[in-house]
């Protein structure tokens, strides 16, 4: 009985610590720090991220709303009117992976030379660890659509798992039809392509 009582007190202590950490965590500061870290890492790789405004809310399940988000790379620029991130601290601690749900609206992608694509909405779950980043339950609608799951292996720098299917306009459909891209995508229907897993060489 005393062992059960001790286990109960340990569980109560752990719960109290977790609740206190979630209740008093400086989520706004943590979000600003994380965004700045991502922005600097992206800049080192030639991608530049800006955001007009970031707001935070919630205690046990914090949320961030990024307004006027822009990502510019060597050949394209993406802008989103609003992106909402719902963070899951408890499941992140249990799984050892950072987990969140992302929802965006009114996205515009401009690419060289003079092309433009619009996405009306998108949502997906993100799970990020040391070895991989997973995007699950994705649903993107617009000129480019996407559904399914995809896992990116960080160490290999390639897709390790995928059920993701993308729907593209005719111009991009013609580009994806190139034999040079058959390693990365395969046809899945009219104007639709499945993102393929990359078979890693044994070490």
């Amino acid at each position: 009985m005393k062992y059960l009582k001790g286990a109960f007190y340990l569980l109560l202590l752990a719960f109290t610590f977790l609740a206190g950490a979630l209740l008093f965590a400086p989520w706004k500061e943590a979000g600003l720090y994380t965004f700045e870290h991502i922005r600097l890492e992206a800049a080192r790789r030639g991608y530049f991220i800006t955001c007009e405004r970031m707001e935070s809310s919630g205690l046990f399940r914090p949320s961030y709303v990024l307004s006027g988000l822009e990502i510019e790379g060597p050949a394209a620029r993406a802008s989103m009117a609003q992106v909402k991130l719902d963070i899951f601290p408890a499941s992140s601690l249990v799984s050892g992976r950072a987990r969140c749900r992302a929802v965006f609206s009114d996205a515009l992608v401009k690419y060289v030379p003079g092309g433009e694509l619009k996405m009306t909405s998108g949502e997906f779950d993100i799970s990020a660890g040391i070895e991989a980043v997973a995007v699950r339950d994705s649903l993107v609608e617009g000129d480019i659509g996407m559904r399914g799951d995809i896992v990116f292996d960080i160490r290999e720098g390639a897709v390790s798992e995928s059920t993701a299917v993308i729907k593209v306009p005719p111009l991009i459909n013609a580009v994806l039809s190139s034999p040079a891209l058959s390693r990365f995508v395969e046809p899945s229907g009219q104007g639709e392509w499945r993102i393929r897993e990359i078979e890693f060489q044994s070490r």
Side-chain angles (χ1 to χ4, degrees):
M1 180 65 69
K2 67 177 181 179
Y3 295 107
L4 291 175
K5 188 175 181 180
F8 172 79
Y9 281 123
L10 286 174
L11 185 61
L12 181 61
L13 179 64
F15 176 80
T16 303
F17 173 79
L18 178 61
L22 294 176
L23 184 62
F24 297 107
W27 293 119
K28 182 177 182 180
E29 290 75 10
L32 290 171
Y33 173 82
T34 301
F35 179 79
E36 185 65 15
H37 178 73
I38 293 173
R39 190 185 68 80
L40 292 174
E41 286 297 319
R44 293 191 182 100
R45 291 166 171 76
Y47 293 88
F48 302 95
I49 304 175
T50 59
C51 178
E52 293 179 0
R53 185 174 68 257
M54 183 171 71
E55 300 174 339
S56 64
S57 62
L59 295 174
F60 291 97
R61 181 174 289 184
S63 296
Y64 297 94
V65 176
L66 288 73
S67 302
L69 181 67
E70 288 196 356
I71 305 172
E72 185 171 358
R77 183 178 67 184
S79 58
M80 303 177 190
Q82 188 177 89
V83 179
K84 183 182 180 184
L85 299 173
D86 292 321
I87 313 298
F88 306 123
S91 59
S92 297
L93 288 173
V94 172
S95 65
R97 294 169 173 265
R99 293 193 62 247
C100 71
R101 177 78 175 170
V103 179
F104 71 83
S105 61
D106 297 327
L108 178 66
V109 178
K110 294 184 178 181
Y111 59 92
V112 176
E116 186 175 286
L117 297 168
K118 295 180 180 180
M119 274 74 77
T120 55
S121 64
E123 55 184 280
F124 37 83
D125 289 326
I126 302 173
S127 175
I130 297 175
E131 296 182 350
V133 176
V135 175
R136 302 193 184 279
D137 297 328
S138 64
L139 180 60
V140 177
E141 298 180 335
D143 292 338
I144 288 184
M146 178 177 172
R147 65 182 186 275
D149 306 337
I150 188 168
V151 178
F152 183 82
D153 189 288
I154 295 175
R155 183 171 53 182
E156 296 289 346
V159 174
S160 59
E161 300 176 31
S162 175
T163 63
V165 174
I166 57 175
K167 186 174 182 180
V168 297
L171 179 60
I172 296 180
N173 187 68
V175 173
L176 295 180
S177 301
S178 169
L181 298 178
S182 61
R183 183 188 177 199
F184 306 102
V185 294
E186 61 183 4
S188 179
Q190 186 172 4
E192 291 191 347
W193 297 82
R194 190 183 80 83
I195 299 176
R196 303 184 63 173
E197 304 93 342
I198 302 298
E199 295 183 4
F200 303 140
Q201 297 180 354
S202 60
R203 298 179 181 84

